[in-house]
Amino acid sequence: MITKLFRQTLRQGRKALLVAALLLPLTGHAQLSTNADKFLGNITTSYSVDWGNEPFYTLWNQITPENESKWGSIQGYSRQYYNWGGCDNAYNYAKEHGFPFKFHCLIWGAQYPDWVNSLSPDEQYKAIEEWMDAVKERYPDLPLIDVVNEAITGHQPAPYKAALGGDGVTGYDWIIKAFEMAHERWPNAILIYNDYNTFRWQKKEFIDLVRALRDAGAPIDAYGCQSHDLTDMELTEFKSAMTEIQNALKMPMYSTEYDIGTSDDNLQLQRYKEQIPYMWEADYCAGVTLWGYIYGHTWTTDGNSGLIRNGVDRPAMEWLRGYMQTTEAKTAKSPFPAMVKEASVYVGAATLKAEVGDVVPVTVRASLETKTLDHVDLYVNGSLVKTSTEAPFVYDCSAEQLGRCDIKAVVVATDGTQYERYGGFDVLNRRIPYGGSRATLPGTLQMEKFDTGVEGQTYHDTDSKDEGGTYYRSDNGGVDIVTGNGGYAIGYTAAGEWLEYSVHIEKAGTYTFKAYASSGTNGSGFSLGIVRNGLVETLCQVDVPQTANNNWDNYRMLEGTLSADLPAGDHVLRLTITAPYCNIDKVQFDCVYDGIEAAVADAQNTDGDTYNVCGMKVGPGYKGIVIKNGKKMLNRDKR
């Protein structure tokens, strides 16, 4: 009830502000945007809202705290103490003036409380729950939330992400969990993923991450492009990048932290005139938030992204005032009319990568806030396959053709209003064990003989360049295969890369391993794991020491015991590079009896007792002896 009242207040407040703005003369003190459906917002300035000669609300119609709503700012002192003062100021200011407040942000790998690092993953999860619950109690009616901030690899992914589920099946399970937690608390808020370098440098990584969230059915409502990377970006490249992102994601977009950081007035003016109209007039852009406007008080060098210097408009600010009064700016459409979310529509496939012949369940979650849902139409590759009038909205989709399987859900209200949501999954050829047959364990895995498939299915390499120079196999897709240790090995490894191997495990039980690896530097490492239900269960972490100085030809045997028993049957093992620059030749696996007794050697079982060795029943007449705790035992010393 509180949420709906606040949203009604927002709608009414915006209408009142629009009427008032239209009645005002076009002076330097009129609110810039009079568009009732999308905002031109800004941030707090040095922890204050109003700054300079013009009050904030006379210029901007949306506010984001620059730092005051970050976890570290609110709960950084201790787990028991919350400092809401700065966030309250911005939140209450937005309510007073009838425009949206955006909470920035719930989950980020920077500016979070230091005390979180000392907690176990279970306690970290409880702390995250407490944090979100506290925000919910304080601000139950948030209209906009940056749920997760800057999680692209190399940015600031949360070091506590394991508490939220880690990478998991999708590679982004922890982010999906964060969005689910936010959606549970604020079902009517517009939930946003926010990141930088999205238009250039890491555009692909941004698209891959957001599309994975969308396709997995996460309750993400919009993507946020921070727009710090546009100062020296030419117009043609900028337009192309923005179009590419939207064509790939087909979701509402925000420019969340726009600035042009330069002391060159002419360059700043040029970029504003080129970029702002293109973003503002895109019907999928729901709003633009500038990241500061007072010169000397923004995060860029000397605060040079500021638009007002010593109380005087820079040319870009003069132009912005004029542009926002044009018909194009006033009538630009938005994916969120009245700046609020009416429909919550999410399409989730049970897997993001299927193999030909698989049947993939697809689930649509749909709800409307003020309207009544009539039916949901589901399209697969452009064809209508199902119309449903009541939940659950589920469809079994056959993975029949290689390539992309595109899914679209159209939610139709009783008044005829329609809301669309896109999703999908990739269809791949079925994986094939290298050489056509599974490796058998106990036995040896040669690391260059990973399963035949494609990137993201049977292997992941950080680039498509083959630096190994051996040309051992033509389907390695960038996996670097080198010569070493009398044969072939994988090399030029980078953290996060992985390879998978289809194996047949003849005997269930505890296994030891002997890995043959080299490194010309310190700090290398890898892990071995088993894939169960799409998740990787780590079985051991192996630290690879420096085996020679800047030379990778000196291989060393590294041995240990797997942390969990291997089950009998057909399975998939995964090798993951946890720290870069190690070469790995092979791993030998030997079965031992479940931690108490071990493998079978030549001898005669004559005492009439039955033993369970490596999952096998060893009865009278079996040639074997039992080893317990590394020592030979008499046959009568049965388990």
Side-chain angles (χ1 to χ4, degrees):
M1 188 64 176
I2 295 175
T3 299
K4 290 190 176 182
L5 284 173
F6 183 45
R7 290 161 69 86
Q8 184 178 8
T9 300
L10 282 174
R11 288 188 173 98
Q12 293 172 344
R14 287 166 200 150
K15 290 179 181 177
L17 286 171
L18 175 59
V19 171
L22 292 174
L23 294 175
L24 287 172
L26 294 180
T27 68
H29 296 280
Q31 191 174 70
L32 273 65
S33 173
T34 57
N35 188 315
D37 294 324
K38 60 174 63 182
F39 56 73
L40 181 67
N42 222 303
I43 62 173
T44 53
T45 301
S46 299
Y47 294 89
S48 296
V49 179
D50 289 330
W51 192 281
N53 300 325
E54 299 167 281
F56 187 98
Y57 75 91
T58 64
L59 295 173
W60 321 109
N61 63 337
Q62 180 268 334
I63 189 168
T64 301
E66 183 176 19
N67 290 296
E68 296 92 319
S69 53
K70 292 168 182 172
W71 192 5
S73 298
I74 292 176
Q75 206 182 358
Y77 182 74
S78 75
R79 191 170 181 176
Q80 291 73 38
Y81 176 76
Y82 294 86
N83 174 21
W84 301 106
C87 191
D88 280 352
N89 289 340
Y91 173 82
N92 292 332
Y93 192 97
K95 292 192 71 172
E96 178 184 355
H97 294 286
F99 56 64
F101 167 87
K102 184 171 78 167
F103 193 91
H104 173 77
C105 50
L106 289 173
I107 300 295
W108 188 24
Q111 292 184 247
Y112 67 92
D114 289 340
W115 51 261
V116 173
N117 293 328
S118 64
L119 304 178
S120 68
D122 287 344
E123 277 300 310
Q124 287 178 338
Y125 182 78
K126 291 178 183 178
I128 295 166
E129 280 191 312
E130 291 169 3
W131 158 238
M132 289 195 184
D133 287 342
V135 176
K136 168 65 176 176
E137 182 178 0
R138 192 78 175 188
Y139 312 115
D141 46 15
L142 291 174
L144 295 154
I145 305 172
D146 285 335
V147 178
V148 177
N149 193 50
E150 299 179 3
I152 288 176
T153 301
H155 289 187
Q156 296 279 1
Y160 47 87
K161 74 178 188 179
L164 292 169
D167 295 332
V169 177
T170 65
Y172 307 103
D173 280 15
W174 68 280
I175 303 178
I176 294 171
K177 180 62 176 178
F179 272 89
E180 294 290 357
M181 294 172 72
H183 184 64
E184 289 172 6
R185 291 160 176 80
W186 297 277
N188 296 315
I190 298 170
L191 304 181
I192 304 163
Y193 174 79
N194 190 52
D195 219 319
Y196 64 92
N197 287 353
T198 58
F199 292 113
R200 57 198 316 195
W201 300 312
Q202 291 170 303
K203 177 180 56 181
K204 180 184 183 299
E205 291 87 341
F206 178 72
I207 289 173
D208 289 347
L209 189 156
V210 176
R211 185 161 52 191
L213 303 184
R214 184 200 70 178
D215 291 351
I220 173 176
D221 300 301
Y223 61 91
C225 296
Q226 291 186 10
S227 311
H228 296 304
D229 50 344
L230 302 178
T231 301
D232 60 350
M233 194 170 191
E234 296 300 327
L235 179 59
T236 301
E237 183 186 2
F238 163 68
K239 286 183 175 181
S240 176
M242 185 167 155
T243 301
E244 180 184 348
I245 295 169
Q246 177 58 21
N247 286 345
L249 300 179
K250 294 182 174 64
M251 290 174 59
M253 166 249 189
Y254 288 97
S255 176
T256 54
E257 304 183 18
Y258 183 86
D259 52 24
I260 300 297
T262 175
S263 58
D264 184 335
D265 286 349
N266 291 328
L267 177 59
Q268 187 183 57
L269 172 62
Q270 178 185 349
R271 294 297 182 241
Y272 264 78
K273 291 172 70 174
E274 291 172 344
Q275 296 165 0
I276 291 293
Y278 193 76
M279 287 192 289
W280 186 263
E281 295 171 29
D283 58 9
Y284 56 86
C285 179
V288 176
T289 301
L290 308 185
W291 207 247
Y293 64 104
I294 302 298
Y295 198 99
H297 291 272
T298 69
W299 78 287
T300 59
T301 305
D302 299 325
N304 62 4
S305 63
L307 294 168
I308 300 175
R309 180 163 45 194
N310 299 324
V312 178
D313 285 358
R314 294 179 72 182
M317 185 64 174
E318 291 180 358
W319 172 85
L320 188 60
R321 292 183 193 270
Y323 168 73
M324 297 308 294
Q325 296 302 317
T326 65
T327 300
E328 291 80 4
K330 292 179 180 180
T331 59
K333 295 181 179 179
S334 167
F336 297 115
M339 306 184 215
V340 294
K341 181 176 71 173
E342 170 64 36
S344 296
V345 185
Y346 313 113
V347 179
T351 181
L352 302 185
K353 294 184 184 296
E355 296 182 346
V356 172
D358 289 348
V359 175
V360 180
V362 175
T363 302
V364 179
R365 291 187 286 173
S367 63
L368 303 176
E369 188 196 359
T370 65
K371 300 177 185 292
T372 301
L373 190 151
D374 183 77
H375 67 274
V376 176
D377 291 330
L378 189 70
Y379 294 81
V380 175
N381 292 329
S383 298
L384 178 64
V385 296
K386 188 174 184 179
T387 296
S388 303
T389 56
E390 59 183 32
F393 307 112
V394 180
Y395 176 74
D396 287 336
C397 183
S398 297
E400 298 175 349
Q401 297 179 344
L402 291 176
R404 180 74 181 168
C405 182
D406 289 314
I407 301 168
K408 179 176 73 171
V410 180
V411 175
V412 183
T414 52
D415 66 359
T417 310
Q418 297 186 2
Y419 305 91
E420 295 182 349
R421 176 75 170 202
Y422 290 82
F425 56 91
D426 295 322
V427 182
L428 313 172
N429 276 318
R430 303 199 74 82
R431 75 161 65 219
I432 301 173
Y434 182 78
S437 60
R438 294 172 178 267
T440 300
L441 302 185
T444 300
L445 284 183
Q446 298 286 346
M447 295 299 99
E448 69 275 10
K449 296 183 179 182
F450 55 92
D451 288 353
T452 297
V454 298
E455 165 68 34
Q457 178 192 26
T458 61
Y459 64 86
H460 167 60
D461 197 82
T462 53
D463 61 56
S464 58
K465 182 180 179 181
D466 183 357
E467 298 179 276
T470 62
Y471 305 104
Y472 173 76
R473 51 190 293 186
S474 60
D475 62 347
N476 54 321
V479 176
D480 307 297
I481 300 175
V482 300
T483 56
N485 205 33
Y488 294 101
I490 60 166
Y492 296 94
T493 55
E497 295 180 340
W498 52 264
L499 304 167
E500 289 187 346
Y501 305 82
S502 292
V503 299
H504 176 72
I505 302 173
E506 289 189 332
K507 304 174 183 179
T510 299
Y511 277 71
T512 60
F513 67 88
K514 294 185 176 98
Y516 296 82
S518 69
S519 181
T521 186
N522 289 308
S524 299
F526 64 90
S527 66
L528 297 169
I530 185 169
V531 181
R532 301 178 192 260
N533 300 318
L535 293 172
V536 180
E537 177 186 340
T538 299
L539 298 171
C540 66
Q541 169 63 48
V542 182
D543 296 326
V544 180
Q546 183 177 24
T547 57
N549 185 14
N550 201 33
N551 185 300
W552 277 260
D553 293 332
N554 186 13
Y555 283 75
R556 181 178 301 178
M557 185 186 75
L558 308 169
E559 57 185 331
T561 302
L562 301 184
S563 61
D565 285 3
L566 293 183
D570 292 340
H571 298 280
V572 173
L573 298 185
R574 177 180 287 195
L575 168 81
T576 302
I577 304 301
T578 55
Y581 311 129
C582 53
N583 287 9
I584 309 169
D585 170 29
K586 60 186 177 182
V587 180
Q588 177 184 325
F589 294 89
D590 293 302
C591 181
V592 297
Y593 182 65
D594 72 1
I596 300 175
E597 297 166 325
V600 180
D602 287 337
Q604 182 71 34
N605 180 3
T606 59
D607 63 0
D609 292 317
T610 298
Y611 300 91
N612 184 358
V613 179
C614 293
M616 300 172 58
K617 296 295 184 181
V618 179
Y622 187 88
K623 289 186 177 181
I625 63 170
V626 176
I627 300 173
K628 184 174 182 180
N629 297 327
K631 297 180 180 180
K632 288 185 178 181
M633 306 296 293
L634 297 176
N635 289 335
R636 64 177 178 273
D637 291 330
K638 64 180 181 297
R639 185 181 175 186

